């Protein structure tokens, strides 16, 4: 038996590259996005009553290479530093028999403009262009289970102590986000505070500088101890491969 599903819409988020996406939803509250509904589903009545719920579940497809890479019965989650293996069904790894994911995010209401109808959400961990299969309300009395155990992910991940911005990077933020609509400085700070580097990077202590893509920008940063130094923020030279990014 097999099933065929079609997306109801696609995510437009600041994450235009997998590197830098937080490992769980809600960790970067400055990450605002839109779920753009396809014309068939772009109907306000389909969302009647949702205004009473603060959060929603998003069911989505891990796209790009996840669709063709197949799956493995064991994975090495970043939470364990990429060194220890666990079963794929004990993880939230994208390489699954069916590459379907779920995220609980804050919902900020519907927006209709020249692009069509969209649901605005906050705290996303989703790549720009992600296909969305369904949206369901988050119900605290049923979805929040007191006393639940969380296995190897029991404690919050450690975070960097500080994020520092160079004069040049602050100018880059002012140029790229003059009205503050993108919440760009806050977004960069929250993403870097989560330390987006892969868990195995401690094997390469000599590497100190990294690049990060958000929206249509390249953010270059360096790590010294527990401080992330943002060096420059510049437009990407070639944005032709990026999907249309809808600002929050």
């Amino acid at each position: 038996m097999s099933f065929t599903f079609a997306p109801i819409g696609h995510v437009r988020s600041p994450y235009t590259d997998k590197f830098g996406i937080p490992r769980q939803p809600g960790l970067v509250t400055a990450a605002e996005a839109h779920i753009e509904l396809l014309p068939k589903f772009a109907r306000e009545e389909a969302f009647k009553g949702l205004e009473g719920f603060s959060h929603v579940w998003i069911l989505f497809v891990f796209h790009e290479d996840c669709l063709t890479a197949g799956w493995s019965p064991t994975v090495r989650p970043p939470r364990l530093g990429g060194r220890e293996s666990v079963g794929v069904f004990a993880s939230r790894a994208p390489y699954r028999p069916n590459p379907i994911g779920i995220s609980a995010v804050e919902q900020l209401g519907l927006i209709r403009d020249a692009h069509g109808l969209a649901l605005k959400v906050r705290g996303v961990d989703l790549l720009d262009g992600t296909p969305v299969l369904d949206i369901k309300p988050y119900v605290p009395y049923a979805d929040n289970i007191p006393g639940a155990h969380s296995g190897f992910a029991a404690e919050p991940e450690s975070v960097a102590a500080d994020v520092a911005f160079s004069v040049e990077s602050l100018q880059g933020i002012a140029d790229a986000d003059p009205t503050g609509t993108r919440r760009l400085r806050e977004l960069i700070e929250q993403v870097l505070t989560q330390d987006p580097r892969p868990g195995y990077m401690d094997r390469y202590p000599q590497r100190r500088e990294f690049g990060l893509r958000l929206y249509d920008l390249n953010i270059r940063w360096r790590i010294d101890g527990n401080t992330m130094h943002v060096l420059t923020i510049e437009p990407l030279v070639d944005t032709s491969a990026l999907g249309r990014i809808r600002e929050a």
Side-chain angles (χ1 to χ4, degrees):
M1 184 180 295
S2 63
F3 304 90
T4 301
F5 297 98
I8 63 170
H10 295 84
V11 173
R12 298 303 173 194
S13 88
Y15 301 117
T16 50
D17 186 73
K18 288 184 291 185
F19 180 70
I21 296 178
R23 297 182 178 107
Q24 300 295 341
L27 297 178
V28 177
T29 57
E32 297 183 351
H34 293 82
I35 301 173
E36 291 188 349
L37 285 303
L38 294 174
K40 179 179 179 180
F41 307 103
R43 303 175 60 168
E44 281 88 347
E45 62 265 34
F47 294 86
K48 183 180 179 181
L50 188 64
E51 66 275 5
F53 295 88
S54 63
H55 292 73
V56 294
W57 289 105
I58 301 174
L59 281 73
F60 62 92
V61 176
F62 290 106
H63 64 310
E64 292 194 345
D65 57 331
C66 295
L67 291 174
T68 58
W71 74 287
S72 171
T74 60
V75 296
R76 298 182 178 182
R79 192 60 183 273
L80 297 176
R83 296 181 180 83
E84 299 181 43
S85 295
V86 301
V88 66
F89 298 126
S91 80
R92 297 192 181 187
Y95 300 101
R96 320 183 68 81
N98 296 299
I100 298 173
I102 58 172
S103 285
V105 299
E106 184 180 1
Q107 73 92 7
L108 303 174
L110 293 173
I111 295 174
R112 184 180 284 278
D113 59 17
H115 301 306
L117 186 68
L119 180 67
K120 187 175 181 179
V121 291
R122 175 185 292 156
V124 298
D125 58 342
L126 302 171
L127 184 67
D128 185 62
T130 294
V132 174
L133 298 177
D134 203 0
I135 301 168
K136 300 177 185 291
Y138 179 93
V139 182
Y141 80 84
D143 296 340
N144 183 12
I145 304 174
H149 300 287
S150 52
F152 61 83
E155 297 295 331
E157 296 182 88
S158 60
V159 296
D162 192 22
V163 177
F165 292 84
S166 69
V167 173
E168 187 177 357
S169 69
L170 290 175
Q171 183 60 54
I173 290 174
D175 293 340
D177 190 22
T179 64
T181 304
R182 289 178 164 182
R183 300 174 64 188
L184 188 56
R185 177 170 180 169
E186 188 177 0
L187 177 63
I188 294 170
E189 189 167 12
Q190 290 184 11
V191 168
L192 292 184
T193 295
Q194 299 298 323
D195 192 352
R197 297 174 302 158
Y200 58 78
M201 283 307 301
D202 58 2
R203 305 177 197 172
Y204 308 97
Q206 70 280 5
R207 183 173 179 187
R208 312 303 297 172
E209 291 195 9
F210 300 86
L212 174 72
R213 273 185 8 187
L214 293 172
Y215 291 111
D216 52 353
L217 303 168
N218 182 56
I219 293 90
R220 190 167 61 88
W221 53 284
R222 183 183 71 247
I223 182 168
D224 290 321
N226 286 330
T227 301
M228 309 294 192
H229 296 272
V230 183
L231 304 175
T232 59
I233 298 171
E234 299 175 341
L236 290 167
V237 175
D238 181 11
T239 61
S240 60
L242 300 180
R244 176 168 55 82
I245 304 169
R246 183 176 185 168
E247 293 189 8

